[in-house]
Amino acid sequence: MKEYFKHLPSLSTRRLILRRIEERDTDDMYEYSCDRAVSKYLLWSAHESKEQTRKFIRSVIKYYAKQLFYDWAIVEKKSGKMIGTCGFARIDEANNSAELGYVLSRSHWGNGYAPEAAQAVLQVGFCELGLNRIEARYMVENTASARVMEKLGMHPEGVRRQELYIKGQYRDIGYYSILRDEYLSHRNS
């Protein structure tokens, strides 16, 4: 299953290309990864320099080769600009499941790009990788992320109170999931 990510294929949606993250994405990635509003509800903190972003991308490239990184760059077709990432935060091969994750440049929020990209990733997870379950989690204050999960046909599973200690405070983490059968029936309806 993870072998798929060694030679990550590009995906195409109506408005987006999802492809490998490359060193040429440094400027675009830094533009959103240095934005504290973007990283506010994420596990990582805003990047402090373009060099930090460049080092991160170089590590991603190495992780692709080792099949340890499962994200695509989200590229807007119209502009050719990398505007975020979407993919799997982790894959659990033993249980045929994965965790979906995404981040998007603030200048592209509210345009439906996150669900569009995530839908392509769900397609890969269920139809290419044969997963049975895909889940996503979010800090409960991030209601926009919960709305993305709902648009994907995911079902709420509850909140784990103060589950994670992030950026100096305990955070309540909400969970959504979708099963293969649900995805296939949702897609075909």
Side-chain angles (χ1 to χ4, degrees):
M1 182 181 309
K2 292 179 182 176
E3 181 76 18
Y4 179 89
F5 294 90
K6 186 172 187 177
H7 304 288
L8 190 71
S10 293
L11 309 173
S12 182
T13 70
R14 187 171 64 83
R15 301 176 295 164
L16 304 171
I17 298 289
L18 279 70
R19 60 159 173 75
R20 291 174 70 97
I21 298 167
E22 300 172 353
E23 201 160 341
R24 66 180 163 141
D25 297 319
T26 300
D27 289 345
D28 289 344
M29 181 181 275
Y30 178 69
E31 187 177 310
Y32 71 80
S33 65
C34 72
D35 185 342
R36 295 195 191 301
V38 170
S39 66
K40 180 178 181 178
Y41 298 117
L42 301 174
L43 298 177
W44 49 269
S45 296
H47 288 194
E48 298 296 327
S49 69
K50 206 176 280 188
E51 186 56 32
Q52 181 183 359
T53 303
R54 183 175 287 105
K55 285 179 182 177
F56 172 74
I57 290 175
R58 287 178 180 159
S59 69
V60 163
I61 292 166
K62 290 177 185 171
Y63 288 143
Y64 279 138
K66 296 177 183 178
Q67 296 134 38
L68 296 173
F69 194 78
Y70 321 112
D71 266 0
W72 284 263
I74 302 171
V75 178
E76 185 182 42
K77 284 182 178 177
K78 180 175 64 177
S79 67
K81 185 175 188 64
M82 186 227 194
I83 60 171
T85 63
C86 186
F88 298 113
R90 66 175 173 76
I91 294 176
D92 180 348
E93 290 186 76
N95 293 299
N96 243 4
S97 66
E99 179 185 341
L100 175 71
Y102 43 82
V103 61
L104 200 61
S105 167
R106 183 169 24 157
S107 61
H108 290 83
W109 289 354
N111 294 312
Y113 287 139
E116 185 174 333
Q119 192 61 246
V121 173
L122 290 181
Q123 164 84 21
V124 166
F126 289 122
C127 300
E128 301 288 329
L129 303 179
L131 295 172
N132 182 60
R133 171 189 164 86
I134 297 175
E135 68 180 33
R137 60 187 176 158
Y138 68 103
M139 290 182 208
V140 295
E141 301 88 358
N142 191 356
T143 56
S145 191
R147 282 194 305 276
V148 169
M149 295 169 196
E150 290 165 1
K151 288 177 184 177
L152 294 171
M154 299 180 98
H155 301 278
E157 291 192 329
V159 173
R160 292 183 179 180
R161 298 177 307 135
Q162 296 186 4
E163 180 182 27
L164 298 176
Y165 188 72
I166 302 169
K167 300 174 188 165
Q169 67 184 98
Y170 291 100
R171 300 295 192 125
D172 294 348
I173 305 298
Y175 284 81
Y176 276 75
S177 73
I178 187 167
L179 304 177
R180 179 187 178 91
D181 292 345
E182 294 167 340
Y183 169 78
L184 294 174
S185 65
H186 180 73
R187 187 181 75 164
N188 295 329
S189 61

